[in-house]
Amino acid sequence: MTISILYFGMLAEATGHPSETWEATDPLSVGQLREQLLQKYPVLRDRKFQLAVNQQIADSAMPINTNAEVALLPPFAGG
Amino acid sequence: MTISILYFGMLAEATGHPSETWEATDPLSVGQLREQLLQKYPVLRDRKFQLAVNQQIADSAMPINTNAEVALLPPFAGG
Amino acid sequence: MEKTHTPKKVFVDGPISPQFISDSIAKHQSKTNIGAHSLFLGQIRADQKDGGVVTGIEYTAYTEMAEKVFHDIREAAFAKFDLVCMHIYHSLGLVPTGEVSLFVFVSSAHRRASFEALEYVVEEIKAKVPIFGKELIGETGEYTWKENK
Amino acid sequence: MEKTHTPKKVFVDGPISPQFISDSIAKHQSKTNIGAHSLFLGQIRADQKDGGVVTGIEYTAYTEMAEKVFHDIREAAFAKFDLVCMHIYHSLGLVPTGEVSLFVFVSSAHRRASFEALEYVVEEIKAKVPIFGKELIGETGEYTWKENK
């Protein structure tokens, strides 16, 4: 299945791009995707980030469906 | 001794004037002055008010000295 | 940090205009140790009373005492909270419904101090400053005397 | 009372000007059920960092999600507090030191609701809205990423 990944702020900087298309095996949980991302981008290991799936903050157990939009969000700085 | 009395807001309305000079016997406490004021102006009996002596809120026991400025303050409405 | 807090002019004639408020805000843009401003505006409500709707409040004050009390509130707020600066303005005379009669403006490096100081200062003003308000009702010259809760 | 709270435009390009703030205030003078306005302004501080002083913050956001979260915060605040109206504005792009990047404006009949809602809304924004800030340092192109506490 195909999902779309978005990187924001310092994470776009760390990975070198703001988004990419990700080919993954189905089923896939948020926790499993996080592991795969850390494998591809070891630089993310020492960064704090949360994952949002379809614009909702997601915990590790949440399943990711095909065509999902997954965003990697560094610490918030609004205000 | 002579003191000066100021009436504000609804109390100026009730007494009919914003200020007057008051001749009083010495010593005089705030509580005693309040009694004398209520005698002269029975209309004040059903009004809420505080007394300030020389621009400080005063309790009944506080003595009033000659030339003091005593103000009758109805409920505050700032803001 | 302001170290000396000289008494400031608080009372203004009539309503406090939005332009006056934005001028105050603009003046603080050069104070680059400020990270948070909290502002309170008291606006006159068209409350329904026996006899009609409130059309405005006519404010009077025991001004000499009021200025002292404003100064004391100011000093106490600077002592309690880590503020960069603070301004208080209050109307005297007629303020029509919909217009602003109280403007409290507190500024600090971080937001918590400004929130806490704002509430503190407004509550102190309502409770302690000898300001009196005649609520004008309808078109017939009726009024009641306002009392803070 | 606003009964339906349609999503509103929150993001503005660059700093929020004092004039924009006074225009917002002026628009509320016809809402004569309002007695209390509380406003919060977040202003960029010239903090000292390794390498120099902060000269501004460059804001970016996950805008689609941010707009949803702003809407949720707005709905939650209307449910929790007795408000007449509420406005939130946040900058995107560069906001120089001394200028305003966040403007929260809550209005109610009585003061307590406006105080409580102001704090609630600002804290929720800081904690939950995916906005990111690059603090620009000195004159040499250095920067650090800001993180809310």
Side-chain angles (χ1 to χ4, degrees):
Chain A
M1 66 174 187
T2 302
I3 58 181
S4 131
I5 310 228
L6 305 177
Y7 303 96
F8 286 95
M10 69 173 75
L11 305 178
E13 219 172 62
T15 62
H17 42 232
S19 64
E20 70 185 295
T21 300
W22 193 271
E23 295 300 332
T25 51
D26 191 359
L28 180 71
S29 72
V30 165
Q32 288 167 327
L33 176 62
R34 179 183 271 267
E35 272 314 306
Q36 294 175 19
L37 286 162
L38 295 180
Q39 249 160 23
K40 179 164 179 190
Y41 301 107
V43 65
L44 296 182
R45 287 183 198 280
D46 54 1
R47 303 294 164 98
K48 270 191 286 185
F49 63 92
Q50 301 183 81
L51 286 166
V53 176
N54 296 328
Q55 306 174 9
Q56 297 258 26
I57 297 293
D59 62 24
S60 303
M62 186 183 266
I64 299 173
N65 296 319
T66 192
N67 296 322
E69 179 178 284
V70 178
L72 275 71
L73 306 175
F76 300 161
Chain B
M1 66 175 186
T2 302
I3 59 182
S4 132
I5 310 228
L6 305 177
Y7 303 96
F8 287 95
M10 69 173 76
L11 305 178
E13 220 172 63
T15 62
H17 41 230
S19 63
E20 70 184 295
T21 300
W22 195 270
E23 295 301 329
T25 50
D26 190 0
L28 180 70
S29 73
V30 165
Q32 288 167 328
L33 175 62
R34 179 184 272 267
E35 273 314 306
Q36 294 176 19
L37 287 161
L38 295 180
Q39 250 161 21
K40 178 162 178 190
Y41 301 107
V43 65
L44 295 183
R45 288 184 198 279
D46 55 2
R47 303 294 163 99
K48 271 190 288 186
F49 63 91
Q50 301 182 81
L51 286 166
V53 176
N54 295 327
Q55 305 175 7
Q56 298 257 26
I57 297 293
D59 62 24
S60 302
M62 185 184 266
I64 299 174
N65 297 318
T66 191
N67 296 321
E69 179 178 284
V70 178
L72 274 70
L73 306 175
F76 300 160
Chain C
M1 286 288 170
E2 293 178 49
K3 283 297 175 201
T4 56
H5 312 123
T6 48
K8 298 207 173 191
K9 200 170 155 20
V10 169
F11 285 117
V12 299
D13 254 354
I16 297 163
S17 71
Q19 192 58 49
F20 182 90
I21 296 162
S22 70
D23 289 348
S24 294
I25 294 167
K27 280 181 202 153
H28 287 77
Q29 302 203 313
S30 58
K31 298 202 175 182
T32 55
N33 53 338
I34 293 173
H37 301 289
S38 291
L39 291 75
F40 180 82
L41 309 176
Q43 182 170 299
I44 311 298
R45 283 193 312 273
D47 283 354
Q48 183 67 47
K49 306 267 172 177
D50 294 344
V53 158
V54 173
T55 61
I57 296 183
E58 177 88 40
Y59 285 104
T60 54
Y62 184 10
T63 49
E64 299 81 357
M65 178 174 163
E67 279 162 4
K68 277 191 194 178
V69 179
F70 276 125
H71 180 70
D72 292 345
I73 292 171
R74 196 175 152 71
E75 290 294 306
F78 271 104
K80 283 171 95 79
F81 307 105
D82 193 6
L83 300 178
V84 178
C85 60
M86 177 192 324
H87 303 273
I88 302 171
Y89 300 98
H90 198 292
S91 298
L92 287 181
L94 178 64
V95 182
T97 291
E99 304 225 37
V100 169
S101 60
L102 171 63
F103 171 28
V104 177
F105 187 5
V106 293
S107 309
S108 53
H110 302 283
R111 65 189 181 278
R112 287 240 52 83
S114 80
F115 289 141
E116 290 169 11
L118 185 72
E119 265 197 63
Y120 173 81
V121 169
V122 173
E123 294 299 339
E124 288 285 287
I125 291 169
K126 298 257 180 189
K128 295 189 178 166
V129 184
I131 295 172
F132 316 106
K134 197 189 245 192
E135 293 181 310
L136 309 178
I137 295 169
E139 305 299 320
T140 57
E142 279 187 79
Y143 62 88
T144 58
W145 290 95
K146 188 182 168 228
E147 176 172 352
N148 281 342
K149 274 174 222 121
Chain D
M1 286 285 170
E2 294 180 48
K3 283 297 173 199
T4 57
H5 312 124
T6 49
K8 299 210 173 189
K9 201 170 154 21
V10 169
F11 286 117
V12 299
D13 255 355
I16 296 163
S17 71
Q19 192 59 49
F20 182 90
I21 296 162
S22 71
D23 289 348
S24 294
I25 294 167
K27 279 180 203 153
H28 288 76
Q29 303 203 313
S30 57
K31 298 201 174 182
T32 55
N33 53 338
I34 293 173
H37 301 290
S38 290
L39 292 74
F40 180 83
L41 309 175
Q43 181 170 300
I44 311 299
R45 282 193 313 274
D47 282 353
Q48 184 66 47
K49 305 269 172 176
D50 295 344
V53 158
V54 172
T55 61
I57 296 184
E58 177 89 40
Y59 285 104
T60 55
Y62 183 12
T63 48
E64 298 82 357
M65 177 174 163
E67 280 161 4
K68 277 192 194 178
V69 178
F70 276 125
H71 180 71
D72 292 347
I73 293 171
R74 196 175 152 70
E75 290 296 306
F78 271 104
K80 283 172 95 79
F81 307 105
D82 193 7
L83 300 178
V84 178
C85 60
M86 177 192 325
H87 303 273
I88 303 172
Y89 300 98
H90 198 291
S91 299
L92 287 180
L94 178 65
V95 182
T97 291
E99 305 226 37
V100 169
S101 61
L102 170 63
F103 170 28
V104 176
F105 187 6
V106 293
S107 308
S108 53
H110 301 284
R111 65 189 182 278
R112 289 240 51 83
S114 80
F115 290 142
E116 290 170 11
L118 186 71
E119 265 198 63
Y120 172 82
V121 170
V122 173
E123 294 299 338
E124 287 286 287
I125 291 170
K126 298 259 179 188
K128 295 191 177 166
V129 184
I131 295 173
F132 316 105
K134 199 189 244 191
E135 294 181 309
L136 310 178
I137 295 168
E139 303 301 319
T140 57
E142 280 187 79
Y143 61 88
T144 58
W145 289 95
K146 189 184 169 224
E147 178 173 351
N148 282 341
K149 272 174 223 123

